[in-house]
Amino acid sequence: MPRQRPRTSNKQMDRTDLEKAFNHRVQTECSHKEAAEKFGVKKTTLVDAFNRSKKEANGVTYVPVPGKVNMVFTPEQEGLIVKYTIQAAQMFYGLPRIEVRRMVYNYAHACKSKSIPEAWERNRMATTDWYYSFMERHPDLVLKAPEGMSIARIVAFNKVNVETFFKAYTLALEKYQFTPDRIFNLDESSLSTVMKPCKVVCARGKPVATQVTRERGETMTFVGIISAAGQAVPPVFIIPRARWNPTFMRNTSFGSKGILHPSGWMNGDCFVQTLQHLHERSGSSDENKILLIMDNAECHMNINVVEFAIRHGIVIVTLPPHTTDKLQPLDVSVFGPFKTFLRALLNDHALMHPNEHITVHQLPEFACDAWTKAANPANILSGYRATGIWPVNRLIFPDEAFVGAQVTERPAPPEDFVVEVGPPSSDGANSSDGEDQPPASQVIDLPDLSPTLEDDPDDPTGTAWPDPGTAAPGPNTATPGPNTATPGPNTATPGPSTATPGPSTATPGPSTATPGSSTTTPGSSTQSTPPSITPEAVRPFPKAANQRPYGKGKKRLRACILTENEEAIVDLRVKAAKKQKLEEKKKAVAGKKSGVPRKKKPAPVPESSEEDDVRVLLDDSSEYSDDSEEFTESSYPFLDKEPEAGDFVLVRLALEEGRAVGTSVCYVAHVLVTLEGSRLNLSFLRMKSAILRNTFTFPNIPDESEVDAGHCLGVVKVSKGATKRQADLIKVFPPLVPFNMHY
């Protein structure tokens, strides 16, 4: 059956003409045919009107045709469905078409609708005809393909993070009295020699391809800096080259800077040079400070960056993680037009110079032309205004902007935690080292709304409402509630037809009233409207059940004044020390593999502590250092003892299969039992690295065998891992380099 049956004729009747024809025949007592012809209506329609009047009235009073009696929902209920679907989409959990049909079917049963079609019951969902009619009745709804959104961005943009940033930002403004020309925003963006092409005019119904220079282009980093006064600082380019070429900055804006890095990506050293560029262009100093707003990317969180900013009068305020699309002016109003203009310039160049690809030598020139057009005062001021940074507007974001964070919403952290370095988890939510806080909202267990219960057919909510003559709790009767005293033994029980409170009845407080309750006052029979059921009661909005307590997870810097946060600076110093130690260790391992001896560094003397646990760890430190004498098989320092149960020994055996049959190789084995006749029951280990020859592990399937003690070369000195990860590792020192080990 078609959703909309096309009309086959243009015959339409005005209902007012039908009423006039009805009244004319009643007054003149003429025939049906005469009255119908006079007012241009059908005779059968006029006859139906008289029959309907005889059935429902006195036969001489016009009764209009009843309206749409088969509607499943009332207009108010359809309005609730529209509101629910819009709110679900705003929470980034919009309903697909089939899910809307299922929800509508369940909602119809919850509302006890008397007009549920049989087709709905067969498929247990609304039909497509109803869906399309519903969409036509509500043109503010439309079916769209949603864009992907990171869960981290959805969760991180909440009221707590926004308030944290504005508290740190306004604190810096009040302390240093910054003017708009001293407030800067800095961010990076990736540029490529091959970008998305512009739209072209072509034939309908046929695919079209636009000429590109390469399959994959080279990328570089573009650094944009703007001030709250509407001015743009000359950009910085991180060029993916190791040697400088003057053509890199050819025809670029005056004052632009190029920095070389092999990968073309920003790192800590390149960012220090970027701050040097900002310092030179702004003239910052201890007497004339500037405020820099930036995100807390890994390349920005560097101790060298913080120390440079402190020395040169740069006050850094960091943005909360994953909120730059809403709180950073460059992302809000500048980078979008900048990429559009750059794409148009590259497309024009491709049209004017066919078969000529763009290189990194030309990209800064095009980027500067696009930056000049995009970074105009109107766009810059609009970005600062839209984020509430300048003019300062803490309430720039309405409550609807945070609706996506309600899925994982938690209570606000303690007040003293707002501008501190807390240990949030990977999703960027707030955390504290204090005790667990109760969740902001609990998931309420909804009543069973299925239609299988025995319900009153005249009751639209499935609840037995009292009759008008039945006694109900009066206005002074104590109803158990959060602030109401429970009626005690001295409470008067209401009579069968009157609600007379007893002498000891507690008077309910202002919060005693229960929404939707039916109340009958003495001497009256007025019944209130039953409570309405919302679609949210049938299908609740998504809510994360597991709430993580504060103080758990990985440490990450939150929004704060970075240059004045002592705890953050200490954390950055510790992080830099760990990174330097890791790099030295990598260089040492690379030196071992290449065979280049490295200088021995004196080990630092650890501070003694009675509470520290003494553990033997698997590291490179031992009494046998790398630059000690090179051992041979005859001079290898075995332990001076006979093999016993529990020792680790070096055994030499001949291969019994393979290409090298008869070749003698060495194994490390664990002595299980010493047997009679100079024989040993051994469990053989596997070697992890053929280069270092010092780390062994037990195989998944034990390799046990009896070996004559004469094949044992000696007992070796070993250490075992102390952590769970290293529990199954056995390290032999010094390494067994002189021996032909089996690998």
Side-chain angles (χ1 to χ4, degrees):
M1 182 180 71
R3 299 189 185 97
Q4 288 186 351
R5 182 175 179 273
R7 178 176 291 274
T8 59
S9 65
N10 295 326
K11 297 180 181 180
Q12 297 202 12
M13 178 185 63
D14 191 355
R15 293 294 174 179
T16 58
D17 294 339
L18 177 62
E19 184 176 0
K20 293 178 181 178
F22 183 92
N23 296 331
H24 176 73
R25 183 181 182 279
V26 171
Q27 295 173 1
T28 60
E29 297 182 356
C30 63
S31 64
H32 293 90
K33 183 178 180 180
E34 182 180 353
E37 291 178 351
K38 182 175 181 179
F39 291 93
V41 298
K42 287 185 177 182
K43 175 184 174 183
T44 55
T45 305
L46 184 60
V47 172
D48 292 341
F50 275 95
N51 294 336
R52 186 169 56 253
S53 177
K54 293 178 182 178
K55 182 178 179 180
E56 301 180 8
N58 53 6
V60 294
T61 303
Y62 176 75
V63 177
V65 179
K68 298 179 180 180
V69 296
N70 294 326
M71 291 187 63
V72 182
F73 301 107
T74 63
E76 293 77 12
Q77 292 172 343
E78 284 201 358
L80 294 177
I81 296 175
V82 172
K83 183 179 179 181
Y84 175 84
T85 53
I86 293 177
Q87 186 173 354
Q90 291 175 348
M91 296 177 66
F92 304 97
Y93 290 90
L95 304 182
R97 179 171 53 186
I98 191 169
E99 191 63 29
V100 172
R101 293 165 58 191
R102 291 195 184 112
M103 182 270 295
V104 166
Y105 168 77
N106 295 330
Y107 183 52
H109 275 288
C111 295
K112 304 296 185 234
S113 177
K114 299 180 181 179
S115 302
I116 301 179
E118 295 181 359
W120 290 30
E121 298 291 354
R122 288 196 304 268
N123 301 324
R124 302 190 65 84
M125 67 174 67
T127 58
T128 55
D129 292 341
W130 183 92
Y131 169 78
Y132 286 109
S133 299
F134 172 76
M135 297 294 288
E136 289 182 1
R137 290 193 298 271
H138 304 280
D140 51 339
L141 296 180
V142 65
L143 186 67
K144 288 185 177 181
E147 297 181 4
M149 174 66 73
S150 169
I151 184 65
R153 289 188 178 273
I154 297 174
V155 174
F157 188 71
N158 51 65
K159 287 186 177 181
V160 176
N161 283 346
V162 173
E163 291 174 359
T164 301
F165 164 71
F166 275 104
K167 183 173 182 180
Y169 170 64
T170 54
L171 184 63
L173 286 182
E174 295 172 358
K175 184 175 182 180
Y176 298 104
Q177 298 296 320
F178 289 112
T179 54
D181 59 317
R182 309 302 290 172
I183 301 175
F184 293 89
N185 176 223
L186 179 148
D187 192 23
E188 300 90 355
S189 182
S190 178
L191 304 182
S192 176
T193 55
V194 177
M195 301 188 69
K196 181 180 178 181
C198 300
K199 293 183 178 181
V200 297
V201 180
C202 61
R204 184 184 298 274
K206 295 183 179 181
V208 61
T210 301
Q211 178 186 5
V212 294
T213 56
R214 292 179 180 177
E215 292 294 334
R216 290 186 60 184
E218 294 185 86
T219 60
M220 67 170 57
T221 301
F222 172 88
V223 184
I225 309 173
I226 58 175
S227 71
Q231 301 173 351
V233 178
V236 178
F237 298 91
I238 311 297
I239 304 173
R241 290 292 186 272
R243 295 183 180 180
W244 179 257
N245 191 323
T247 59
F248 288 147
M249 306 304 293
R250 179 180 54 195
N251 297 331
T252 56
S253 303
F254 176 77
S256 301
K257 185 173 184 177
I259 302 174
L260 299 181
H261 190 271
S263 66
W265 290 85
M266 177 70 78
N267 62 2
D269 297 335
C270 295
F271 193 68
V272 172
Q273 300 182 50
T274 303
L275 287 187
Q276 176 68 30
H277 173 72
L278 176 61
H279 162 67
E280 294 173 355
R281 294 297 165 185
S282 62
S284 61
S285 62
D286 290 337
E287 294 78 17
N288 189 16
K289 295 180 180 292
I290 64 172
L291 176 63
L292 177 61
I293 301 173
M294 65 179 190
D295 55 32
N296 54 1
E298 186 71 18
C299 57
H300 299 170
M301 299 297 103
N302 190 294
I303 187 60
N304 297 330
V305 172
V306 178
E307 291 176 349
F308 180 89
I310 294 175
R311 290 195 307 268
H312 295 84
I314 302 176
V315 180
I316 298 178
V317 174
T318 59
L319 293 166
H322 308 292
T323 60
T324 55
D325 59 326
K326 299 291 184 63
L327 291 176
Q328 185 152 246
L330 280 168
D331 287 342
V332 171
S333 65
V334 179
F335 276 162
F338 167 66
K339 291 297 182 68
T340 301
F341 287 127
L342 179 60
R343 189 163 58 247
L345 291 174
L346 296 182
N347 184 72
D348 293 344
H349 182 271
L351 295 177
M352 298 297 296
H353 303 83
N355 298 328
E356 179 181 335
H357 61 268
I358 299 174
T359 64
V360 293
H361 298 260
Q362 301 169 294
L363 193 56
E365 176 183 354
F366 290 111
C368 285
D369 293 341
W371 180 251
T372 303
K373 297 179 180 179
N376 55 63
N379 288 346
I380 295 174
L381 295 177
S382 176
Y384 275 95
R385 190 184 308 109
T387 56
I389 295 178
W390 193 267
V392 180
N393 185 4
R394 291 173 175 263
L395 305 178
I396 188 65
F397 300 105
D399 293 339
E400 292 78 9
F402 307 105
V403 69
Q406 293 180 1
V407 179
T408 56
E409 185 179 11
R410 296 183 301 167
E415 182 67 21
D416 56 355
F417 182 76
V418 173
V419 281
E420 297 297 330
V421 179
S425 62
S426 60
D427 61 356
N430 307 303
S431 56
S432 171
D433 296 332
E435 299 180 355
D436 296 352
Q437 301 290 335
S441 58
Q442 302 286 351
V443 179
I444 302 174
D445 294 331
L446 297 171
D448 186 10
L449 299 175
S450 60
T452 57
L453 301 178
E454 296 181 0
D455 301 321
D456 186 0
D458 297 330
D459 182 18
T461 63
T463 307
W465 295 92
D467 295 332
T470 305
N476 297 327
T477 304
T479 304
N483 299 325
T484 307
T486 305
N490 297 327
T491 304
T493 304
S497 59
T498 57
T500 306
S504 301
T505 303
T507 303
S511 60
T512 306
T514 304
S517 62
S518 64
T519 305
T520 306
T521 57
S524 65
S525 59
T526 303
Q527 184 178 2
S528 63
T529 305
S532 59
I533 299 177
T534 62
E536 185 178 359
V538 178
R539 188 185 185 279
F541 291 117
K543 185 69 176 178
N546 298 326
Q547 300 290 342
R548 293 175 291 100
Y550 293 121
K552 299 293 180 71
K554 195 174 181 180
K555 276 197 172 184
R556 180 181 292 181
L557 190 66
R558 298 180 61 218
C560 68
I561 305 177
L562 181 60
T563 51
E564 298 181 2
N565 195 318
E566 295 296 336
E567 186 177 355
I569 295 175
V570 171
D571 289 343
L572 292 178
R573 287 197 177 99
V574 173
K575 180 180 176 181
K578 290 182 179 179
K579 184 177 180 181
Q580 183 178 2
K581 187 176 180 180
L582 181 61
E583 291 177 353
E584 292 177 355
K585 191 172 182 179
K586 289 182 179 179
K587 291 181 180 178
V589 174
K592 288 181 181 180
K593 292 182 179 180
S594 61
V596 179
R598 62 183 179 89
K599 295 182 179 181
K600 183 179 180 181
K601 295 184 179 181
V605 180
E607 298 180 0
S608 59
S609 175
E610 298 179 357
E611 300 178 358
D612 294 341
D613 296 334
V614 180
R615 296 183 179 181
V616 181
L617 301 177
L618 291 178
D619 55 14
D620 294 334
S621 60
S622 67
E623 57 179 327
Y624 302 98
S625 58
D626 294 337
D627 40 358
S628 59
E629 61 177 339
E630 296 182 0
F631 298 106
T632 61
E633 291 188 5
S634 59
S635 63
Y636 187 85
F638 291 104
L639 296 180
D640 189 12
K641 59 178 296 188
E642 293 296 328
E644 299 177 356
D647 291 338
F648 288 85
V649 295
L650 185 66
V651 183
R652 176 174 287 168
L653 300 173
L655 294 175
E656 299 180 355
E657 58 182 9
R659 295 183 178 180
V661 176
T663 304
S664 296
V665 293
C666 296
Y667 301 86
V668 174
H670 181 227
V671 181
L672 300 178
V673 182
T674 56
L675 306 174
E676 297 180 358
S678 300
R679 295 186 65 80
L680 303 174
N681 189 5
L682 304 178
S683 177
F684 291 89
L685 283 73
R686 298 290 184 265
M687 186 166 56
K688 297 286 290 184
S689 173
I691 300 176
L692 300 180
R693 300 188 180 188
N694 64 344
T695 306
F696 300 83
T697 182
F698 288 97
N700 295 331
I701 302 176
D703 185 7
E704 300 179 0
S705 178
E706 292 184 8
V707 178
D708 188 82
H711 295 288
C712 180
L713 301 182
V715 181
V716 295
K717 187 176 182 180
V718 299
S719 65
K720 298 182 179 180
T723 63
K724 291 183 179 180
R725 186 177 181 182
Q726 300 176 344
D728 59 341
L729 298 180
I730 304 297
K731 186 172 183 180
V732 179
F733 51 90
L736 302 173
V737 177
F739 301 94
N740 182 23
M741 301 298 299
H742 179 268
Y743 181 67

